[in-house]
Amino acid sequence: MKLAVEIENLTKDYKIGFWHKHTVRALDNLNLKVEAGQIFGLLGPNGAGKTTTIKLLVGLIKPTAGNARILGRDIKDIETHQKIGYCPENPYFYDYLTAYELMLYFAELFGLTKDAKKRAEKMLNLVGLHESDWHKPLRSFSKGMLQRVGLAQSLINEPEVVFLDEPMSGLDPIGRREIRELIARLPKRGITVFMSTHILSDIEVLCDSVAILNRGKLAAVGKLDELLFTKETNELEVILRGVTVEALSNEMKSLRVLEKPSGLQIRIKEYELVELISVIKKLGGSVVSVQPVKMSLEDFFVKETAKQEAK
Amino acid sequence: MKWLIVAKNTFRETIRDRVLYNLILFFLLITASALFLGDLTGGNEARTTVNIGLSATLIFGVLIAIFVGVGLVSKEIEKRTIYVILAKRVTRAEFLLGKYLGLCTVLLLNTGLMGIGVSVVVFTVGDLMRAISIWGAVFLIYMELCIITAVALVFSTFSSPILSTIFSFSVFVIGHFSSALKDIAQSIGSTSAKVFFTSLYYLLPNFSLFSITTQAAHGNLPTVSYLISVTTYAIFYILILISLAIIIFQNRDFR
């Protein structure tokens, strides 16, 4: 298993106040491992420490304690930056440059001199920025267009890991869908995505694994499927046909039955399954499907953050 | 050579800045007005033109060096453009050096063009010798501007744009009255005050060394050894300032 990001006891304190006398802990002993080739989501309410984590990883701020490695290299090693991309939240670029000039400038910073033009065109095409906009000054760009440029510049060096801070923030529904589809395609190009967001639906659609941060501390981490089907829910959803609600209720009391076009939908505890199947058999009905009930990400998020705050 | 790429972009940034053209326009108006003022001085047209022209070159150069120099870093932080730059394979030292050298290149072009403007005006009033002799003074003005830019850069790495502008202007003004600091230190009774003013005298740049406008107005060229020693002083001073800016910048968090 190749690791894209390894974080060990990463901590960041900010000094505040005029004389910098007080400190605020923005990130508290964070430990994380992110496998290469996946889309990893950092989830948390505002002020949870998501942006701080990303800024520490890309070298914009220095850790108070702890360390992190990207692709096995220490984050303090400038060579690490050759293989990473970064798009900040609500990116803003030089007013006086065009999108094309900006891409050329950044390509040159990565030492791409001969291929700079080709690479700039490739990335602007990839993010779907219309060719007629390439040579317009960036000051005339809408938020959605700037977000596309932000993504394009983060990919200019064909990085192995890309850090995206709230990549869908401030976009309209169509823009969000387009950016989401673009991010979803990145692992196929061999790029690990490490993104932060507080939009739960984006995480559900995009991410393989998530970490939930709250007040700078890690509240939960793992594969999305595993986190949402926890032992605590322990419920199954059964769809069946050929029996009536009344007949079923007479046989098994306190069942939660819903009539759906596909049949009757019942939620039961795992241990009730054997009894239910024998009742259905007795009534002459048939089982269409049995599926584990997943907790919604929203429920999970609220539960985990509340649990962590109670500690 | 990442600093060269940053310098190239800084040059482009400054050249596309409207403030620069407004300042150059004002310079041209003042230098042209020197022609009419020269008429009032009864036979000293060339001298007056050199005095006014070179002073305008210095003042407008300083305005560009401070206003643009302070903005070099603070604008990048304020608009958060620095985030994407420093996340790339560019060290903070390369970034600062590039920014500084980019603006120095613009100043070289500006000072050169202003010098040509003054030379042309002096030549128009019929004094070829003075039109040539101003170039030693123009060169030293450029050196002074390079120091001022480095001063502005240092302040902008840790202070707000307004404070950086005020501090840089203060260094420019005090630097021109450097010898007065030494006189105060010698005449003052209090030991602590003596130490304070003497330290200021040695810490702040001595800009009076770069001011040879009056000499140029009389058609005198500085000696080569004087130019070399003052240039060495300027380079030494700039190196210290840039190193200081890099040290401060290395430890800065971009929240």
Side-chain angles (χ1 to χ4, degrees), chain B residues 133-165:
Chain B
S133 71
I134 64 155
W135 284 95
V138 170
F139 172 74
L140 290 184
I141 286 173
Y142 175 66
M143 282 290 125
E144 183 175 341
L145 296 181
C146 289
I147 297 178
I148 292 283
T149 307
V151 169
L153 191 72
V154 172
F155 286 128
S156 70
T157 53
F158 66 91
S159 173
S160 71
I162 294 173
L163 285 179
S164 303
T165 307

Side-chain angles (χ1 to χ4, degrees), chain B residues 212-231:
Chain B
I212 55 164
T213 302
T214 318
Q215 204 179 325
H218 285 92
N220 301 325
L221 271 165
T223 61
V224 176
S225 63
Y226 184 77
L227 285 178
I228 290 172
S229 61
V230 174
T231 306

Side-chain angles (χ1 to χ4, degrees), chain A residues 39-156:
Chain A
I39 300 181
F40 184 86
L42 201 55
L43 190 62
N46 293 332
K50 306 184 297 287
T51 299
T52 299
T53 307
I54 292 185
K55 282 187 175 174
L56 282 164
L57 291 171
V58 300
L60 292 176
I61 51 179
K62 318 244 175 215
T64 308
N67 197 13
R69 282 181 294 278
I70 299 171
L71 302 163
R73 272 181 190 272
D74 195 296
I75 51 166
K76 291 182 209 92
D77 183 353
I78 190 71
E79 287 306 321
T80 313
H81 292 225
Q82 190 68 31
K83 290 182 177 180
I84 65 168
Y86 167 60
C87 180
E89 186 181 1
N90 299 324
Y92 190 87
F93 301 106
Y94 303 102
D95 284 343
Y96 56 91
L97 291 184
T98 66
Y100 192 73
E101 285 171 337
L102 182 88
M103 295 299 284
L104 287 185
Y105 173 38
F106 288 167
E108 283 177 15
L109 286 178
F110 280 111
L112 299 161
T113 39
K114 280 183 193 165
D115 298 335
K117 283 184 181 172
K118 241 188 230 171
R119 189 69 69 84
E121 287 163 12
K122 187 177 163 185
M123 293 308 159
L124 288 172
N125 272 322
L126 181 76
V127 297
L129 193 74
H130 203 272
E131 213 174 319
S132 59
D133 294 322
W134 290 6
H135 299 286
K136 286 180 185 163
L138 287 159
R139 63 175 165 266
S140 65
F141 275 29
S142 68
K143 212 169 182 181
M145 287 159 85
L146 282 175
Q147 196 76 43
R148 283 170 200 275
V149 176
L151 266 175
Q153 65 78 28
S154 71
L155 302 171
I156 192 78

Side-chain angles (χ1 to χ4, degrees), chain A residues 12-16 55 58-62 78-82 84-98 101-102 105-106 108-111 139 153-154 156, chain B residues 1-10 12-14 16-18 75-76 78-92 94-95 99 249-255:
Chain A
K12 180 66 190 175
D13 291 338
Y14 287 123
K15 292 204 186 319
I16 54 166
K55 282 187 175 174
V58 300
L60 292 176
I61 51 179
K62 318 244 175 215
I78 190 71
E79 287 306 321
T80 313
H81 292 225
Q82 190 68 31
I84 65 168
Y86 167 60
C87 180
E89 186 181 1
N90 299 324
Y92 190 87
F93 301 106
Y94 303 102
D95 284 343
Y96 56 91
L97 291 184
T98 66
E101 285 171 337
L102 182 88
Y105 173 38
F106 288 167
E108 283 177 15
L109 286 178
F110 280 111
R139 63 175 165 266
Q153 65 78 28
S154 71
I156 192 78
Chain B
M1 300 290 263
K2 299 285 159 67
W3 57 268
L4 194 62
I5 299 159
V6 177
K8 220 169 76 181
N9 191 59
T10 307
R12 180 163 54 184
E13 172 187 359
T14 316
R16 288 181 187 180
D17 198 333
R18 279 181 206 151
K75 237 161 60 182
E76 293 255 7
E78 189 190 312
K79 295 191 170 181
R80 291 178 286 119
T81 44
I82 199 162
Y83 291 4
V84 285
I85 298 280
L86 295 183
K88 300 194 172 3
R89 211 217 148 286
V90 183
T91 62
R92 294 184 181 197
E94 286 170 332
F95 173 78
K99 283 265 152 190
F249 202 58
Q250 295 279 22
N251 295 304
R252 220 190 135 150
D253 274 347
F254 297 101
R255 290 168 71 172

Side-chain angles (χ1 to χ4, degrees), chain A residues 284-297:
Chain A
S286 59
V287 175
V288 179
S289 67
V290 179
Q291 277 184 336
V293 175
K294 282 186 182 177
M295 195 187 260
S296 78
L297 182 58

